[in-house]
Amino acid sequence: MNRQTPVLVSLSRTKEILVIGLPIVGGMISNVLLGLIDTAMVGTLGDAALGAVGLSSFAAFIYLGMVYGFSIAVQATVSRRRGEKRDAECGVPLQGAIITVAIVAPICSGILYAAIPALFPLINSDPEVVALGVDYIRWLILQAVFVGFIAANTGFWNGLGRSRVYIPSLILMHLSNILFNYMLIFGKFGAPALGAEGAGLATALSSVVGSLLFLRLGLKFGRPYGFLASRPTIAEIRAILRLAIPAGLQQVFDTAALTATYSIVGMVGTRELACYSVLVNFIGLVGLPAWGLGTAGVTLVGNALGERNPVEAARWAWDVIKLGVVGMFILGMPFWLFPEAILSIWIHDPETRALAVTPTRILGIMIAFNGIGYMMATFLNGAGDVKRVTWINLVTQWCVLVPGAFLFGPYLGFGLLGIWSLHQFGYRAGNSIIFAMIWRKGKWSKIVI
């Protein structure tokens, strides 16, 4: 298969990528800004609260990551059906995902809610971090059924190439989270001042708001695509699960590895843990072109494969990467040019802030290269090559990232800078090279969904 593409992306193809990708980026900007605003609010409570919220968010995603797998599975299936001109069947994978989440999530959430006080101390030994983290993470666990509903719906609209339809709902959901945060963290408008726990409750309440908004959206615009029109068969639910389970495990393994890294950073110190929480949020901001345009690329690749045109699918992937790299380079510039000014917004202690300056510069420099790996993995998932991506992530996370973080951090004494350097130059850069090589071999083009 000829995979050569022009150096530049044509205006028509750029427009098609941006029509799908920019609304996704816009939605992700609101999500990232929410996380940063959340972090800034919690940061006023001190380093322990900041570290507890950051650690709890990753620990919760070990569980919530499974439901996010339905977003990947639904988008991959819907985009393929669109390419096959089977629009009326696009609602079937969404309904299969919703039914599965509605049955499984409440049971699992109840079990984890009861077990959290015993499990959380295993990932951090600081009593203050544990006390704050348990109260926060329990609310995140309880929202799983709503998170799954929202994830499946975003996958549905992304797969249709109509991402702009749900952006207003997503922004309203995030604005409600900010309002709930303000009320429940600081005790405004008659609400109790719950501190870090209030941030968790605010997140859970906003996911309920988001679910209602997405349900309204589907009823209004989703009928031509089979939204809630027919009950999926057992075979159709199994087909979604074949993609959703390994896709969810990717999220779980990734988050488990980062949570383990959080725990290792906590061994170095609470200041370092607070810095790491902010740095991880920065990745979400600077990597927006990779996340948003990569998701758009899944739709374009899936449509081309549905049309039985793997050459065009490969070309779409490389065009998306060209645009994504340019975007990440531009967004990364302030982080290596003005790290102290940026950090001062979220880290108020001068000594803590000083620890994060060099890691922030590294992030700004490396993000354009490391984002390639994320986009390539996303395309492979969209083509149905989910199991191989899962195995590669598992090996690199648990054979490189986690043991390397312990080696360079607390064991050899390089601290936060040693851990972050491994994260950027070893783990992320290595994944970019591996996934690019796999994509060029082209085996993904023969997978049937």
Side-chain angles (χ1 to χ4, degrees):
M1 180 171 60
N2 181 15
R3 304 179 191 90
Q4 299 299 316
T5 61
V7 175
L8 298 178
V9 185
S10 69
L11 288 178
S12 62
R13 294 174 73 83
T14 298
K15 181 179 179 180
E16 193 162 354
I17 293 168
L18 295 182
V19 163
I20 302 173
L22 283 184
I24 298 173
V25 172
M28 289 181 172
I29 287 174
S30 68
N31 189 35
V32 170
L33 288 177
L34 168 66
L36 294 173
I37 292 170
D38 198 11
T39 302
M41 288 185 182
V42 174
T44 63
L45 304 176
D47 286 346
L50 187 60
V53 167
L55 179 60
S56 298
S57 296
F58 272 101
F61 206 79
I62 295 175
Y63 166 53
L64 296 177
M66 282 302 300
V67 297
Y68 277 102
F70 286 101
S71 179
I72 297 170
V74 171
Q75 183 182 1
T77 308
V78 169
S79 64
R80 191 72 70 94
R81 297 295 172 265
R82 282 280 279 175
E84 296 166 345
K85 313 302 181 188
R86 296 162 61 187
D87 288 13
E89 299 176 32
C90 289
V92 174
L94 172 62
Q95 289 156 229
I98 291 173
I99 290 171
T100 305
V101 169
I103 294 172
V104 176
I107 299 172
C108 295
S109 293
I111 294 171
L112 280 174
Y113 183 89
I116 283 297
L119 295 175
F120 198 83
L122 299 177
I123 58 176
N124 191 277
S125 59
D126 186 318
E128 189 176 3
V129 171
V130 170
L132 294 169
V134 166
D135 291 336
Y136 178 83
I137 195 174
R138 278 181 144 182
W139 288 111
L140 302 190
I141 294 299
L142 289 177
Q143 67 170 339
V145 67
F146 303 105
V147 171
F149 183 84
I150 294 168
N153 274 271
T154 55
F156 173 71
W157 292 110
N158 288 341
L160 291 173
R162 300 191 63 187
S163 53
R164 63 186 179 277
V165 170
Y166 68 77
I167 298 306
S169 298
L170 204 61
I171 292 173
L172 284 174
M173 181 184 76
H174 294 155
L175 289 175
S176 74
N177 198 345
I178 294 172
L179 175 62
F180 291 142
N181 267 331
Y182 183 67
M183 292 171 57
L184 295 167
I185 293 175
F186 305 114
K188 303 296 182 179
F189 307 123
L194 300 177
E197 181 183 2
L201 175 56
T203 300
L205 290 174
S206 71
S207 69
V208 177
V209 172
S211 295
L212 294 174
L213 291 170
F214 271 96
L215 177 60
R216 175 181 174 276
L217 192 66
L219 293 173
K220 186 175 182 180
F221 298 111
R223 295 297 191 182
Y225 306 104
F227 183 82
L228 300 183
S230 61
R231 185 180 301 173
T233 65
I234 296 297
E236 288 167 332
I237 291 177
R238 285 175 179 169
I240 283 295
L241 289 176
R242 279 197 295 270
L243 294 176
I245 291 175
L249 288 175
Q250 285 179 31
Q251 308 296 318
V252 169
F253 292 148
D254 187 43
T255 308
L258 287 174
T259 303
T261 308
Y262 254 108
S263 183
I264 293 168
V265 173
M267 296 178 190
V268 179
T270 300
R271 289 184 189 275
E272 287 79 2
L273 183 61
C275 290
Y276 196 75
S277 298
V278 174
L279 288 167
V280 169
N281 274 305
F282 283 169
I283 291 178
L285 178 62
V286 186
L288 278 171
W291 322 147
L293 297 183
T295 303
V298 169
T299 297
L300 295 167
V301 167
N303 288 168
L305 291 176
E307 295 168 355
R308 302 183 185 276
N309 192 343
V311 173
E312 183 69 0
R315 186 182 171 198
W316 276 122
W318 291 115
D319 284 349
V320 169
I321 284 174
K322 293 169 193 173
L323 295 177
V325 166
V326 171
M328 284 182 289
F329 178 79
I330 293 171
L331 284 178
M333 287 179 65
F335 287 82
W336 53 267
L337 289 173
F338 314 109
E340 293 180 0
I342 294 173
L343 287 165
S344 64
I345 301 172
W346 290 278
I347 301 178
H348 306 287
D349 183 277
E351 292 184 32
T352 304
R353 187 164 61 245
L355 288 172
V357 169
T358 300
T360 301
R361 283 201 171 103
I362 292 172
L363 169 64
I365 293 169
M366 289 296 294
I367 191 67
F369 178 75
N370 291 344
I372 294 174
Y374 176 84
M375 288 186 281
M376 284 296 184
T378 304
F379 301 150
L380 289 167
N381 281 332
D385 202 358
V386 185
K387 290 183 180 179
R388 185 157 50 163
V389 175
T390 302
W391 277 109
I392 290 169
N393 280 336
L394 179 63
V395 171
T396 56
Q397 287 157 2
W398 292 97
C399 295
V400 177
L401 177 62
V402 174
F406 181 79
L407 176 65
F408 287 100
Y411 187 76
L412 294 178
F414 292 110
L416 176 66
L417 182 57
I419 295 172
W420 191 251
S421 297
L422 171 77
H423 187 279
Q424 294 295 303
F425 294 112
Y427 166 60
R428 291 294 182 191
N431 271 11
S432 293
I433 294 170
I434 292 170
F435 287 130
M437 292 173 62
I438 289 174
W439 182 262
R440 286 190 65 85
K441 290 183 179 179
K443 292 182 180 179
W444 48 268
S445 64
K446 300 177 177 64
I447 296 173
V448 177
I449 296 180

